[in-house]
Amino acid sequence: MDNPIQAFQFSTQTIKAFQLKPRAATVCTFDGMSGQTAVAYGFDGTVQFWDPSTREQLLSIGKEDLQMDMVDKVSQLTPSLIAVLAGGSAKGGVYDNKGSIALLSKERQLEPNTLQFRPPAYCTDSPHSGEISVVEGMPGFGGNNDDNRNNNPAFMLSGGEADKGVYMWAIGLSEQGAVTAIQQTHKMKTRHTTRITALCYEPFKGYAISGADGNGRINVNNVETGKLVVDNDHRQCGGGIGGISICPVDANLAMVCCTTKGKQVQIFDLRQSLSVLKPALLLGKDEGFRNSRYIRSAWHPDGRLVFCPLNEEGTKASGSGTVFIWDVRYVRCQEEEPQTYNPHSGSIWSACFARPSQTAESNNPMLVTVSSDRKIAFTDFSI
């Protein structure tokens, strides 16, 4: 492709959703829902469930129900189970349980397109020798053992704050979908020397991908055995790793958000060997600031575009509500200025795409963003 400039069309609706700054929004696919659900969370300790097609909030689970001062991460394990990781409150909180994990299992609804969850089941027996810093679901993983699949239908990864370890967990579920057992299975053999800040599960090769804070190290492990497959040349990343995501149409490509000064978005080809894993594409803005590690970027579902907010680390009024867009098919995209879009008036912390319901007027995936303006935005995006 010779020209990256395309006629993108945007139509955005922003809605006041948060009492305090949000952390992120992610997209989940739940049983019994005609489309995907946007799940937003953050410093007010709530987990909110939104229908992107109607822009309506379906459900909000409050901090009193979760017993969390702040929600740091939400990740889906199965179509009926999500994990919620507690963050810490800078001003001190009521629950003071940073690093704890609550599992929310979905009730079987009597009416279509409705959501209801059972009371949280807490992961009380952690294998980590300290707080858990990140959690990631493993949708579709069942292991090679039939008994393992039947007895433990849900799995997740966790990363440690102090012990720098990465563990896999197995969760048993009843026939009705309630959590019946939570256990740690084994540890990944990694070379991390700082806290784990990013995890990603790649289901086709069975990889657990982990990123660490401060030194740019990325490890790829065989999730079944824990064996280390790849240790990247971490000098290429330089800063901390904020988020890792797999291309939806090519599982060999992993997008990594870094806290580097410039080239904050790096795309790796996982087919490279252990000694030469280096970024295939370096994207970003050379503006001399370090990108926040809390930024969450997104692949467009067709795999050819990447969307990334860029916010300066350690500032209160960073960013300008801008999402940067690169067409990664274009051979010189890393040399050209990205296209931009401004759906918010404050710093954007995450971007993701949701598939609309079957009854929606448009079949185009919808861009979902959350911002320091305490709003969630739903953007109809088309080319």
Side-chain angles (χ1 to χ4, degrees), residues 54-306:
T54 63
R55 283 80 155 171
E56 293 180 351
Q57 188 181 106
L58 302 172
L59 177 69
S60 179
I61 300 178
K63 61 189 302 179
E64 295 80 10
D65 296 316
L66 293 169
Q67 296 186 16
M68 293 181 180
D69 298 306
M70 177 257 184
V71 177
D72 198 58
K73 181 73 186 292
V74 172
S75 186
Q76 186 164 30
L77 282 64
T78 74
S80 62
L81 185 68
I82 61 173
V84 181
L85 177 68
S89 174
K91 297 180 180 179
V94 175
Y95 302 105
D96 193 26
N97 57 355
K98 179 183 177 183
S100 67
I101 300 174
L103 298 176
L104 296 178
S105 57
K106 181 178 174 291
E107 295 271 17
R108 292 181 178 177
Q109 69 263 43
L110 298 176
E111 298 180 4
N113 294 315
T114 59
L115 283 174
Q116 185 176 351
F117 289 86
R118 296 177 177 87
Y122 295 95
C123 303
T124 56
D125 188 16
S126 171
H128 294 277
S129 59
E131 295 174 354
I132 296 173
S133 54
V134 63
V135 64
E136 184 69 19
M138 301 169 60
F141 177 79
N144 292 326
N145 186 294
D146 287 338
D147 291 335
N148 194 42
R149 268 197 300 272
N150 295 332
N151 297 328
N152 300 296
F155 297 84
M156 67 180 181
L157 300 166
S158 64
E161 177 93 15
D163 64 8
K164 299 99 177 174
V166 177
Y167 288 87
M168 191 173 89
W169 302 58
I171 294 93
L173 301 174
S174 69
E175 292 184 1
Q176 292 73 33
V179 175
T180 58
I182 304 170
Q183 61 180 347
Q184 172 261 327
T185 62
H186 60 279
K187 184 179 182 181
M188 304 297 138
K189 298 176 176 64
T190 65
R191 297 178 181 173
H192 293 300
T193 58
T194 57
R195 65 176 171 174
I196 309 302
T197 52
L199 290 170
C200 179
Y201 170 60
E202 194 286 289
F204 297 101
K205 295 184 178 65
Y207 285 160
I209 308 174
S210 54
D213 193 21
N215 61 11
R217 173 156 264 156
I218 300 170
N219 280 184
V220 181
N221 293 82
N222 181 310
V223 77
E224 290 272 7
T225 65
K227 181 181 178 181
L228 182 66
V229 178
V230 170
D231 180 24
N232 75 313
D233 182 356
H234 56 89
R235 294 168 296 180
Q236 295 291 320
C237 289
I241 305 300
I244 305 171
S245 58
I246 299 297
C247 177
V249 298
D250 187 348
N252 295 304
L253 301 179
M255 177 166 56
V256 177
C257 287
C258 309
T259 63
T260 52
K261 290 186 177 180
K263 309 306 180 188
Q264 300 94 347
V265 183
Q266 305 190 10
I267 297 177
F268 290 80
D269 189 331
L270 299 178
R271 289 169 293 191
Q272 298 180 67
S273 65
L274 175 68
S275 60
V276 296
L277 183 61
K278 297 180 179 180
L281 278 177
L282 294 168
L283 307 172
K285 297 289 289 181
D286 291 320
E287 296 180 350
F289 67 77
R290 289 191 179 277
N291 199 31
S292 170
R293 74 175 181 88
Y294 296 109
I295 294 299
R296 297 292 178 263
S297 57
W299 294 91
H300 187 275
D302 68 11
R304 61 182 179 176
L305 301 173
V306 295

